[in-house]
Amino acid sequence: MAVLDILEFPDSRLRIKATPIEKVDDSIRKLANDMLETMYQAPGIGLAATQVNVHKRIVVIDVSEDKSQPYVLINPEFKVLTDKLDHMQEGCLSVPGFYEDVTRPERIKLTALNLDGEQFTMECEGLLAVCVQHEIDHLNGKLFVDYISPLKRNRIKKKLEKQHRFQTA
């Protein structure tokens, strides 16, 4: 297993739309394991392949307290199950150090493939539903900062660009 580099906003590669995975094989299983290791080390609760510059539709998530319930979601999709909305403060490994309130549907029905290439569905609510939606946004080239005002987004962009300049100097 290996820890992968995580792209940071405003890197344009975060805007690339991921392509579906045709076949779940050992290379996809290795990618999933590397993504889990990267997410746990970061530390985070979700990571999309787009964030590690792999533009395939795969996401890893673990919202458990003790990091014992990892999900690997291949070609994930969801349907909204309720009109009720959740307002939750979100952060992102690709936007380190920033947290903003984002509004998303409270309950969703997730459909994805597992590491054996078998399709499964599950209903998600609360933090898991938010995390699934956040990570699928990444696969579609969208970031949580796209949900906030242009003024706030620009401020975050400028601060991260400044940090990147100092890190590479």
Side-chain angles (χ1 to χ4, degrees):
M1 294 206 304
V3 174
L4 307 170
D5 290 330
I6 298 173
L7 301 176
E8 291 186 6
F9 178 70
D11 193 310
S12 62
R13 294 172 290 180
L14 289 167
R15 300 303 187 172
I16 297 171
K17 190 170 180 171
T19 58
I21 292 172
E22 299 296 323
K23 182 179 180 215
V24 179
D25 57 19
D26 286 344
S27 69
I28 296 300
R29 286 186 272 280
K30 180 184 182 327
L31 174 61
N33 286 328
D34 290 347
M35 288 173 62
L36 283 166
E37 184 175 352
T38 303
M39 176 188 73
Y40 288 133
Q41 183 181 322
I45 61 170
L47 185 69
T50 301
Q51 293 175 270
V52 293
N53 201 28
V54 176
H55 303 286
K56 297 180 188 243
R57 296 189 73 79
I58 181 171
V59 164
V60 295
I61 292 173
D62 190 341
V63 297
S64 66
E65 290 289 322
D66 60 356
K67 304 300 178 204
S68 65
Q69 296 174 7
Y71 291 100
V72 175
L73 311 176
I74 299 168
N75 298 335
E77 298 176 359
F78 71 89
K79 290 185 178 152
V80 176
L81 294 179
T82 180
D83 290 337
K84 280 185 79 177
L85 299 174
D86 233 348
H87 308 282
M88 202 173 282
Q89 194 171 74
E90 292 187 26
C92 181
L93 296 175
S94 292
V95 189
F98 294 92
Y99 300 88
E100 295 291 337
D101 285 333
V102 177
T103 302
R104 297 184 186 271
E106 188 178 86
R107 286 183 52 238
I108 61 168
K109 181 177 183 180
L110 167 69
T111 303
L113 300 178
N114 65 20
L115 285 175
D116 294 321
E118 299 164 343
Q119 185 172 341
F120 69 95
T121 61
M122 61 188 275
E123 288 189 18
C124 307
E125 60 186 7
L127 182 58
L128 181 58
V130 168
C131 193
V132 166
Q133 292 171 77
H134 176 110
E135 299 308 330
I136 290 175
D137 273 353
H138 276 298
L139 299 179
N140 295 324
K142 190 169 185 173
L143 300 169
F144 88 95
V145 293
D146 297 338
Y147 290 94
I148 62 176
S149 73
L151 180 66
K152 280 185 178 179
R153 184 170 48 253
N154 222 12
R155 218 179 287 147
I156 291 170
K157 178 182 174 187
K158 288 188 185 316
K159 286 180 182 178
L160 286 174
E161 285 173 336
K162 187 176 182 180
Q163 284 177 13
H164 295 153
R165 279 195 303 275
F166 283 122
Q167 289 170 354
T168 57

